[in-house]
Amino acid sequence: MQYAIFSDIHAYPPALMKVLAEVDARRVDQTICLGDVVGLGPDPAGAVELCQKLDICVSGNADQDYAATQSNGLSDEQILWLSRLPRIHFGNGFICTHKKFVIKNGEIVPGFGYLFRPEDADESLDAISDDAISEKFKIAFVGHTHEPCVWERDESEGTPSRCLAPERFILQEGFRYVVNVGTVGYPRHSGCTSYVIYDD
């Protein structure tokens, strides 16, 4: 299957419409949004309306804030939809959340913070490399940072994580990956809209 994975729409529907037109042309099998549908931009209702049609959408911190305030230009139905978004999505051999992953009480759960440095990525890589988890997930997808990056770790040699350029790559045996898909609606670091096509 092919998955289109993107994040951080930030209430800017025109950017999302462009991404969806591109992924539709690629005939992907599933669309996955990693949260922050709203916040920062001018049209939260329009962004929610588009994201409600996606296959999967997880909750971001901006979505949680909007759902809590309930006075933000969204309909009651849209606020309810935001409030019910899951914080994590378990795919077939991959896992998704908005920020990062940690292990808590023996389970993998969403964590907090940005992934800019190797030590930031290490926590998520540690989580998907945990003995109880490692056979399930080789790759994790996150957003939030607004900067596309592929964090890679060689499990056999125990090397520290390193950031690869956001370009086409193939999963290697014995490696774990955390992929930051960048941002659709608010490219404050990279300067451009980005998303990922993942072919399992």
Side-chain angles (χ1 to χ4, degrees):
M1 284 184 67
Q2 285 196 338
Y3 306 84
I5 308 175
F6 42 84
S7 187
D8 296 87
I9 315 307
H10 282 303
Y12 193 61
L16 179 56
M17 286 188 284
K18 181 177 180 181
V19 168
L20 293 177
E22 289 184 15
V23 300
D24 185 59
R26 290 173 175 263
R27 299 181 182 274
V28 300
D29 299 294
Q30 193 171 81
T31 50
I32 302 174
C33 177
L34 303 185
D36 275 8
V37 173
V38 295
L40 301 176
D43 188 3
V48 169
E49 184 178 355
L50 285 174
C51 287
Q52 286 176 307
K53 300 173 184 176
L54 301 176
D55 297 307
I56 304 290
C57 190
V58 300
S59 179
N61 52 289
D63 305 319
Q64 295 161 28
D65 292 344
Y66 256 64
T69 60
Q70 298 188 7
S71 178
N72 46 46
L74 299 180
S75 69
D76 291 344
E77 186 269 336
Q78 289 178 320
I79 291 171
L80 182 62
W81 180 80
L82 281 178
S83 71
R84 290 180 172 176
L85 290 176
R87 293 189 59 206
I88 195 167
H89 171 66
F90 298 93
N92 182 24
F94 68 95
I95 189 170
C96 302
T97 195
H98 181 63
K99 292 184 179 180
K100 64 180 182 179
F101 293 99
V102 296
I103 295 292
K104 186 175 182 180
N105 299 324
E107 294 185 0
I108 191 166
V109 296
F112 298 94
Y114 291 90
L115 274 70
F116 283 125
R117 305 166 300 169
E119 52 265 39
D120 300 329
D122 281 340
E123 193 168 22
S124 290
L125 286 162
D126 288 344
I128 64 171
S129 300
D130 185 90
D131 288 342
I133 302 295
S134 60
E135 293 306 312
K136 299 177 185 176
F137 307 112
K138 306 295 184 188
I139 185 168
F141 296 96
V142 298
H144 188 56
T145 303
H146 294 200
E147 186 170 345
C149 181
V150 179
W151 296 95
E152 173 192 74
R153 178 194 281 168
D154 185 339
E155 295 294 300
S156 62
E157 297 182 6
T159 56
S161 60
R162 63 190 185 114
C163 185
L164 307 178
E167 57 189 23
R168 185 181 179 95
F169 72 101
I170 297 174
L171 301 184
Q172 303 296 318
E173 188 66 32
F175 283 72
R176 293 287 190 276
Y177 300 88
V178 173
V179 177
N180 192 303
V181 301
T183 178
V184 169
Y186 193 58
R188 60 187 173 195
H189 300 299
S190 63
C192 64
T193 290
S194 60
Y195 62 94
V196 165
I197 300 294
Y198 172 55
D199 188 336
D200 67 4

